[in-house]
Amino acid sequence: MRILILSDIHANLEALEACLAAAPAHDRVFNLGDIVGYGANPNEVTERARTLGDVFVRGNHDKACTDLISLEGFNPIAGLAALWTRQQLRPESFDFLRRLPEGPVLPLPGVQCVHGSPRDEDEYVLMRREAFSILAHVEFPVTFFGHTHVQGGFWIDDSQESEGAIEMTYKSPEGIQQFKLELSAAGKYLINPGSVGQPRDGDPRAAFAAYDTDKRSVIFYRVPYDIEKAQKKIFAAGLPERLAIRLEEGR
Ligand code: ZN
């Protein structure tokens, strides 16, 4: 089975469409949350994500934009974007986002999907130390996670004697690029497809991944998209300017 893994689309329609145009043939779509928040097309992106996906977990922005949590923990810019999104969401989008399930969600044997981490849906797994404390206890060979907007991940050997980070080495910083990871049968993996709509790993190209369960491989993708168009919409919407500027920085 071939599965498209999308995360952190953040209402960026241009980035989502570019990813879908570049995506390989696939049987299913897993969505790791934060469908909205930050970007200027929350309804369009929610509708597209809803028709595409068959497995979802909710993100912290999906919760904040549908009144499931307060905005207290959000920085002012994220808070303003959540308030704006809340006002824009049509009832059907609002209801869909509000009903997204909390992770972990178990779509296949040996695979779980979370937004932040298996132990806390809002945890940021950025550092090796956190990743390995999770991997040491996790029972599933493959965990897909998002939330950090950093493409890559972490692995640990079954014996727990060796471990490492999965870091991308793309041939070029331009154009559509792929990076293939072969999954070892004797390992456990935390895999982040990266953020479709607001990358923060220094590469402004939209990010996603494709998982082939038969070949036991994950292919990471980076895809250029019309950043300027997405930025113009953010400015026109009156959203904080920083949200537009950071798209071209990939930060
Ligand atoms: Zn996010």
Side-chain angles (χ1 to χ4, degrees):
M1 188 183 296
R2 302 156 306 171
I3 301 150
L4 206 60
I5 316 284
L6 305 176
S7 192
D8 298 279
I9 305 169
H10 282 290
N12 187 335
L13 185 63
E14 286 69 34
L16 176 59
E17 284 181 342
C19 288
L20 295 175
H26 53 274
D27 309 298
R28 301 179 71 178
V29 178
F30 296 175
N31 190 315
L32 309 180
D34 276 3
I35 292 169
V36 297
Y38 298 140
N41 284 109
N43 288 303
E44 295 80 356
V45 165
T46 301
E47 183 54 31
R48 198 90 172 88
R50 193 169 70 84
T51 51
L52 277 171
D54 65 330
V55 170
F56 295 92
V57 292
R58 67 185 185 184
N60 50 319
H61 287 261
D62 304 320
K63 289 189 287 182
C65 295
T66 56
D67 301 340
L68 285 171
I69 54 169
S70 82
L71 298 175
E72 267 171 33
F74 275 51
N75 70 50
I77 288 177
L80 281 170
L83 287 173
W84 180 88
T85 303
R86 172 74 186 87
Q87 288 164 357
Q88 300 295 316
L89 284 174
R90 294 194 286 262
E92 61 271 26
S93 300
F94 183 90
D95 290 344
F96 171 76
L97 293 168
R98 194 176 159 93
R99 290 199 196 106
L100 291 176
E102 179 178 357
V105 164
L106 315 176
L108 296 170
V111 176
Q112 65 177 345
C113 293
V114 302
H115 183 64
S117 96
R119 60 191 181 191
D120 176 355
E121 64 176 342
D122 295 332
E123 179 182 6
Y124 289 92
V125 183
L126 280 161
M127 312 301 277
R128 284 170 73 153
R129 190 193 305 190
E130 295 142 18
F132 302 136
S133 72
I134 294 164
L135 283 169
H137 296 104
V138 86
E139 55 185 304
F140 301 96
V142 178
T143 301
F144 290 110
F145 75 107
H147 196 37
T148 62
H149 301 206
V150 175
Q151 192 178 49
F154 307 90
W155 60 272
I156 194 168
D157 194 70
D158 266 353
S159 64
Q160 302 197 6
E161 281 170 9
S162 54
E163 41 85 357
I166 302 159
E167 281 159 7
M168 305 298 104
T169 48
Y170 289 111
K171 288 194 189 83
S172 166
E174 287 166 15
I176 298 174
Q177 295 285 310
Q178 300 177 13
F179 177 86
K180 188 173 185 180
L181 172 73
E182 310 266 7
L183 302 183
S184 155
K188 292 187 286 190
Y189 294 85
L190 267 170
I191 295 171
N192 190 328
S195 169
V196 171
Q198 197 201 74
R200 292 178 196 161
D201 48 13
D203 186 336
R205 294 175 293 183
F208 69 95
Y211 173 43
D212 190 316
T213 58
D214 301 321
K215 294 181 182 157
R216 291 194 54 81
S217 71
V218 175
I219 301 179
F220 296 90
Y221 287 79
R222 291 317 273 246
V223 181
Y225 72 96
D226 193 342
I227 291 178
E228 211 180 311
K229 189 172 173 188
Q231 289 177 315
K232 280 183 181 157
K233 287 183 184 175
I234 288 172
F235 291 132
L239 282 158
E241 287 187 8
R242 175 72 197 133
L243 295 174
I245 293 160
R246 71 185 303 173
L247 292 181
E248 69 194 58
E249 297 172 348
R251 293 282 177 202

